[in-house]
Amino acid sequence: MGNKKKLGIGIAILVIIGIIWMFNGSNDEKKISYATSAVQRGTISNSITATGTIEPVTEVEVGTQVSGIIDKIYVDYNSEVKKGQLIAEMDKITLQSELQSARATYDGNKAEYDYQKKLYDRNTNLHEKQLISDTEYEQSVYNYQRAKSTFEQSRAALAKAERNLSYATITSPIDGVVTSRDVEEGQTVASGFETPTLFTIAADLTKMQVVADVDEADIAGVIDGAAVDFTVDAYPNDVFKGQVKQVRLGSTNSSSSASSTSSTVVTYEVVITADNPEMKLKPRLTANATIYTLFKENILVVPNKALRFTPNAELAKGYQIIDCQAANKVWTLEGKTFTAHPVEIGITDGSLTEVLSGLTENMKVVTETTITNPTANMGEMSTSEGERSPFMPGPPGSNKKK
């Protein structure tokens, strides 16, 4: 028992010595270093996300303005068609009968009109010579005008019958591809207040567009010509490039509800054009778009930490500090000398900031101070003067944008 007691006392003494060494000897091993970063050319961008639908740039719905039975169909889905090409025909028997009837009525009314016109011209000459009475002349005027009116009505009816017969021959209005066929041979279509759609033809599937819904909170940053990246679920590994063509002024309201509250979401349609040379983009696919509201490339940039760094005089004992008065500045370290450089900054994405003047490419700027002490307590193992609490204000101009 005596040996064990002595051993325990020895261990306790060693622990006490170790604790004293940790607290008193650590200062001698404390190491201070400064991290730097080179000023480089890079890209700064900010973006928003939106969801939309792939659509052809030009898409035409082909219908008919007359009622009847579809007699022949000459195209199918994915058929390539040319402008003016015959794509379907309707049964023409009834329309041809109506045309014949309208032509017969027209011919009869034309004969009556020609007769009454000759009689009117003759009676006009006789009346001027006072060879017929006023009553006879007025009767001829009445008969002529009535015959003329009836003739013009029949001429309009004939033109309508001819036009209706032409509607029975359905041709493609554009060069393109049939993307939808909504009728079959033998099907009856009725043209009432709304023209029935028979086919949908897309003009050129190598040129597509995305109609994306952008939230009202993000629409201010979207401008014509902005770059866009988007993906579709069909090709998750492919990123397609596009460009904002139009920001439509009309808004759309949609209601959303959650538990006991409901709100109205306002969105705006943004049209994005995109090339489709490989025909991967198909109509009605859902696109997940990234619209760049801020984009600059090949510009001088520095880490935002460099704009927040300021050398600490107490930690930098033995170093010379040459400061300057400037709203925005960065520091360089040469040997034992810190030098402040005033800079003019531009846009920022939260990580990098554009430098408009004051620095040159490849110049190294200080970003942070690191204090290393392996035996110190956790609160003193490392610290960075370049990083500040997000709740503390940064230096003036750190959020400045051009």
Side-chain angles (χ1 to χ4, degrees):
M1 294 297 293
N3 292 333
K4 290 183 179 180
K5 185 175 181 180
K6 292 179 179 179
L7 179 62
I9 294 172
I11 293 173
I13 293 172
L14 290 175
V15 170
I16 294 172
I17 293 173
I19 293 173
I20 295 172
W21 179 83
M22 287 179 62
F23 283 95
N24 296 326
S26 61
N27 290 334
D28 295 333
E29 298 184 9
K30 186 179 296 183
K31 183 179 179 181
I32 300 175
S33 61
Y34 296 94
T36 61
S37 176
V39 179
Q40 298 178 340
R41 292 195 173 273
T43 299
I44 291 181
S45 64
N46 285 336
S47 62
I48 63 169
T49 58
T51 302
T53 304
I54 304 290
E55 295 180 2
V57 174
T58 302
E59 194 171 39
V60 179
E61 292 182 347
V62 181
T64 177
Q65 293 185 347
V66 293
S67 301
I69 299 174
I70 301 297
D71 190 25
K72 295 288 182 182
I73 294 178
Y74 300 102
V75 296
D76 202 350
Y77 288 93
N78 302 336
S79 297
E80 295 185 2
V81 295
K82 298 293 184 181
K83 183 177 181 179
Q85 177 181 333
L86 180 64
I87 58 177
E89 286 183 301
M90 298 183 66
D91 180 65
K92 299 180 181 179
I93 295 177
T94 301
L95 296 174
Q96 287 174 339
S97 298
E98 293 176 352
L99 176 60
Q100 291 175 354
S101 176
R103 182 171 286 114
T105 302
Y106 169 82
D107 292 341
N109 290 334
K110 184 177 185 303
E112 177 66 16
Y113 168 73
D114 291 340
Y115 169 75
Q116 292 295 341
K117 186 176 186 305
K118 291 179 181 179
L119 186 60
Y120 165 75
D121 291 339
R122 183 166 59 250
N123 287 341
T124 298
N125 292 332
L126 293 175
H127 184 260
E128 289 176 353
K129 297 177 181 180
Q130 296 184 351
L131 297 178
I132 61 172
S133 65
D134 292 342
T135 302
E136 291 177 313
Y137 172 70
E138 291 171 356
Q139 183 64 43
S140 65
V141 172
Y142 169 76
N143 292 336
Y144 165 70
Q145 291 179 342
R146 185 172 182 179
K148 181 180 180 181
S149 175
T150 303
F151 169 64
E152 290 176 348
Q153 288 179 354
S154 61
R155 181 165 58 187
L158 177 61
K160 180 179 179 180
E162 290 175 342
R163 187 170 59 253
N164 287 342
L165 181 60
S166 69
Y167 289 152
T169 301
I170 301 168
T171 60
S172 174
I174 59 173
D175 295 343
V177 178
V178 178
T179 58
S180 174
R181 194 192 77 182
D182 300 324
V183 292
E184 300 289 343
E185 291 184 357
Q187 182 175 337
T188 300
V189 293
S191 176
F193 295 102
E194 183 177 355
T195 301
T197 299
L198 309 183
F199 305 93
T200 302
I201 300 177
D204 182 6
L205 293 182
T206 64
K207 303 288 184 182
M208 303 294 280
Q209 66 183 16
V210 180
V211 180
D213 294 326
V214 176
D215 189 86
E216 60 177 325
D218 299 325
I219 196 64
V222 181
I223 60 174
D224 292 352
V228 181
D229 291 339
F230 65 93
T231 61
V232 294
D233 292 340
Y235 303 97
N237 296 324
D238 292 344
V239 178
F240 301 91
K241 302 293 184 179
Q243 189 177 41
V244 174
K245 178 184 178 183
Q246 181 185 59
V247 179
R248 293 176 176 171
L249 298 179
S251 61
T252 302
N253 297 337
S254 60
S255 298
S256 62
S257 60
S259 62
S260 61
T261 62
S262 62
S263 60
T264 300
V265 179
V266 179
T267 59
Y268 291 83
E269 288 187 343
V270 175
V271 180
I272 302 162
T273 58
D275 292 333
N276 187 30
E278 299 179 3
M279 305 295 286
K280 290 184 176 181
L281 299 176
K282 295 174 175 56
R284 262 52 84 184
L285 286 177
T286 298
N288 300 306
T290 300
I291 304 173
Y292 291 96
T293 56
L294 177 67
F295 186 84
K296 275 190 176 184
E297 56 184 350
N298 195 30
I299 58 175
L300 287 179
V301 295
V302 295
N304 284 5
K305 293 190 295 183
L307 292 166
R308 295 193 293 265
F309 172 84
T310 301
N312 185 295
E314 182 179 351
L315 295 177
K317 291 179 179 180
Y319 288 80
Q320 182 182 5
I321 299 176
I322 304 175
D323 203 349
C324 70
Q325 297 296 323
N328 299 289
K329 55 189 173 183
V330 297
W331 295 80
T332 59
L333 176 60
E334 296 182 5
K336 292 290 186 177
T337 302
F338 285 103
T339 304
H341 300 266
V343 294
E344 181 183 358
I345 63 174
I347 61 175
T348 180
D349 62 1
S351 176
L352 297 174
T353 296
E354 177 189 15
V355 178
L356 300 175
S357 64
L359 299 177
T360 58
E361 190 173 358
N362 298 322
M363 179 184 291
K364 289 189 175 181
V365 295
V366 184
T367 57
E368 59 186 340
T369 302
T370 301
I371 304 173
T372 305
N373 188 344
T375 59
N377 59 55
M378 293 301 295
E380 295 181 353
M381 285 190 66
S382 66
T383 182
S384 171
E385 293 175 3
E387 296 293 343
R388 300 189 181 183
S389 167
F391 302 101
M392 292 296 290
S398 60
N399 296 323
K400 188 184 298 179
K401 289 187 179 181
K402 183 178 178 181

